[in-house]
Amino acid sequence: MVGKKNLWFMFILSLFVSTTLAQQTQTQTCQLQTFTNNEKFTSCRDLPQLTSYLHWTFDRTTGKLDIAFRHTGITSTNQWVSWAINPNNDLTSAMTGAQALVAILQSSGSPRAYTSSIANAGTQLTESRISYNHSNLRATHVSDEVTIFATINLPSGVTSLVHLWQDGSVSGGSPQPHAMNNGNLNSKESLDLLSGVTQAGSGGGSLSRRRNTHGILNAVSWGTLMPLGAVIARYLKVFKSADPAWFYLHVTCQTAAYIVGVAGWGTGLKLGSDSAGITYSTHRALGITLFCLGTLQVFALLLRPNKDHKIRIYWNFYHWGIGYATIIISIINIFKGFDALEVSAGNRYDNWKHAYTGIIAALGGIAVLLEAYTWMIVIKRKKSENKLSHATNGTNGYGQQV
């Protein structure tokens, strides 16, 4: 009993550590970035939308703010990128009155960088003076990354700001309105320049952290442990030496998947309630379905009849059907989650998607090999049993033929 408790403790601890490390890795992307002119900044953060990053150095005494706003995934020259400050600190209507730094890509050479004062949502980023004194405004376009550099003088005593960032297409040399998807509509936040804390109260971005936690918990539980538990149950029990170890491994795997999965499901519900106006109906519906199916499997484990009970065969069909349905929907919903991330964060999570695809492909490949191998064992075992049966039927109790 003590050994099982220790096993559970180590398993949960390893999940916690791996989750924490994955989150830290995700929130430190900007710290790995460098600039062609070797400029250094004291602070940076991964912005939660539009695959963008902000680097800055702030002198509280003078109000001098050096910034480098980087937007990745810009593959076309007919695009514009902007970063702006709302001087009214109005996060609700951040665009109205915002003072923007704009970069329009050119067919050759560096992007054209200029300032624009946004009077209202209908302003088309025409070049105009902004209310902040500024200098060193310039922009670069390297590979698929556009970076805007500038030095801005903030009013005395200002240590935090509401900032927003956008991208859009260019037609006839003029910036066109940005898209109205979730990523563009939510690319704004309040930022403390001294601590790096956002309005939500987290240095790495509260929404981004919870989104990462939600994704990791569900990918590990529903998306990985559930299929792994099914592989264990289907193939290890063929080996007589693995009985009853395969059963305890299967139960441990599925129980851990359910516990961690419920935590991931709960974070998803909280994430949805805190993201007003953002809905992923299919992803949410599948998540609720998974929770219901997983709960049914827990009840199936508690109500499992003995092997020789007359209703055991019906229980088996129920258990298998619900189990495989859960696994299929789990994998589908993990990829639905990646699709949702692409809408809000672009290709920032592509490496996560590729890693999960690799894990599922590896499990699938192992399952195919084990399917063939275990069938060979079963067929060989039946042949041996048939030979033994014929030999027994063909002799009497003294080994003589009847």
Side-chain angles (χ1 to χ4, degrees), residues 13-14 100 108 116-117 126 134 151 170 212 257 320 397:
L13 181 62
S14 64
S108 61
S116 179
S117 181
T126 55
H134 65 279
T151 298
V170 175
N212 294 347
W320 295 336

Side-chain angles (χ1 to χ4, degrees), residues 220-300:
V220 169
S221 57
W222 303 109
T224 303
L225 289 177
M226 278 286 181
L228 179 61
V231 169
I232 291 173
R234 178 166 178 79
Y235 302 113
L236 286 189
K237 67 179 179 181
V238 173
F239 303 94
K240 294 181 178 180
S241 59
D243 191 23
W246 72 265
F247 174 75
Y248 293 112
L249 284 173
H250 171 66
V251 171
T252 300
C253 209
Q254 303 301 73
T255 303
Y258 179 75
I259 294 172
V260 178
V262 169
W265 178 72
T267 59
L269 292 179
K270 177 62 176 174
L271 197 61
S273 66
D274 291 345
S275 304
I278 303 177
T279 56
Y280 300 107
S281 301
T282 303
H283 185 56
R284 180 184 177 89
L286 290 177
I288 294 173
T289 302
L290 283 175
F291 171 74
C292 295
L293 292 177
T295 303
L296 285 175
Q297 284 292 65
V298 171
F299 282 115

Side-chain angles (χ1 to χ4, degrees), residues 32-354:
L32 303 176
Q33 296 176 335
T34 58
F35 299 96
T36 54
N37 53 9
N38 293 321
E39 285 196 51
K40 303 292 183 181
F41 297 88
T42 58
S43 303
C44 75
R45 65 177 262 94
D46 295 2
L47 301 177
Q49 310 292 344
L50 304 181
T51 59
S52 299
Y53 310 85
L54 182 66
H55 300 252
W56 75 92
T57 298
F58 179 57
D59 187 338
R60 184 176 187 176
T61 305
T62 63
K64 178 183 175 183
L65 175 65
D66 294 315
I67 68 102
F69 167 73
R70 171 169 287 178
H71 190 323
T72 64
I74 305 299
T75 57
S76 171
T77 56
N78 296 318
Q79 288 183 271
W80 59 265
V81 168
S82 72
W83 179 81
I85 301 174
N86 183 294
N88 302 318
N89 283 329
D90 185 357
L91 189 57
T92 304
S93 302
M95 183 178 294
T96 302
Q99 307 297 292
L101 309 178
V102 185
I104 295 182
L105 276 65
Q106 309 291 313
S107 57
S108 61
S110 299
R112 175 190 167 215
Y114 65 90
T115 60
S116 179
S117 181
I118 304 174
N120 52 60
T123 303
Q124 291 188 313
L125 291 179
T126 55
E127 185 170 357
S128 58
R129 293 177 60 85
I130 61 175
S131 59
Y132 298 104
N133 292 328
H134 65 279
S135 59
N136 302 323
L137 175 60
R138 65 193 188 283
T140 62
H141 183 203
V142 180
S143 298
D144 66 342
E145 298 178 343
V146 175
T147 306
I148 299 175
F149 297 91
T151 298
I152 300 173
N153 295 317
L154 297 178
S156 176
V158 173
T159 59
S160 64
L161 50 81
V162 169
H163 71 122
L164 56 155
W165 57 101
Q166 283 294 347
D167 59 19
S169 61
V170 175
S171 178
S174 300
Q176 301 301 300
H178 64 74
M180 299 301 288
N181 57 38
N182 293 326
N184 292 90
L185 294 176
N186 290 283
S187 56
K188 56 185 178 180
E189 65 182 10
S190 176
L191 174 65
D192 188 310
L193 296 170
L194 300 178
S195 64
V197 175
T198 66
Q199 185 187 49
S202 173
S206 177
L207 184 64
S208 179
R209 281 178 183 249
R210 282 182 289 158
R211 183 172 58 198
N212 294 347
T213 301
H214 169 69
I216 292 171
L217 290 177
N218 286 297
V220 169
S221 57
W222 303 109
T224 303
L225 289 177
M226 278 286 181
L228 179 61
V231 169
I232 291 173
R234 178 166 178 79
Y235 302 113
L236 286 189
K237 67 179 179 181
V238 173
F239 303 94
K240 294 181 178 180
S241 59
D243 191 23
W246 72 265
F247 174 75
Y248 293 112
L249 284 173
H250 171 66
V251 171
T252 300
C253 209
Q254 303 301 73
T255 303
Y258 179 75
I259 294 172
V260 178
V262 169
W265 178 72
T267 59
L269 292 179
K270 177 62 176 174
L271 197 61
S273 66
D274 291 345
S275 304
I278 303 177
T279 56
Y280 300 107
S281 301
T282 303
H283 185 56
R284 180 184 177 89
L286 290 177
I288 294 173
T289 302
L290 283 175
F291 171 74
C292 295
L293 292 177
T295 303
L296 285 175
Q297 284 292 65
V298 171
F299 282 115
L301 177 64
L302 297 175
L303 301 175
R304 183 170 63 100
N306 294 327
K307 290 183 179 180
D308 56 352
H309 198 285
K310 62 181 181 180
I311 68 168
R312 179 58 183 258
I313 187 172
Y314 302 109
W315 182 91
N316 286 339
F317 285 129
Y318 162 84
H319 185 58
W320 295 336
I322 297 295
Y324 284 117
T326 301
I327 291 170
I328 293 171
I329 296 174
S330 295
I331 295 173
I332 292 173
N333 208 31
I334 295 298
F335 284 102
K336 285 291 183 181
F338 283 123
D339 291 342
L341 286 174
E342 287 181 3
V343 173
S344 62
N347 60 0
R348 180 182 294 179
Y349 293 88
D350 278 358
N351 289 338
W352 291 31
K353 185 176 182 178
H354 296 156

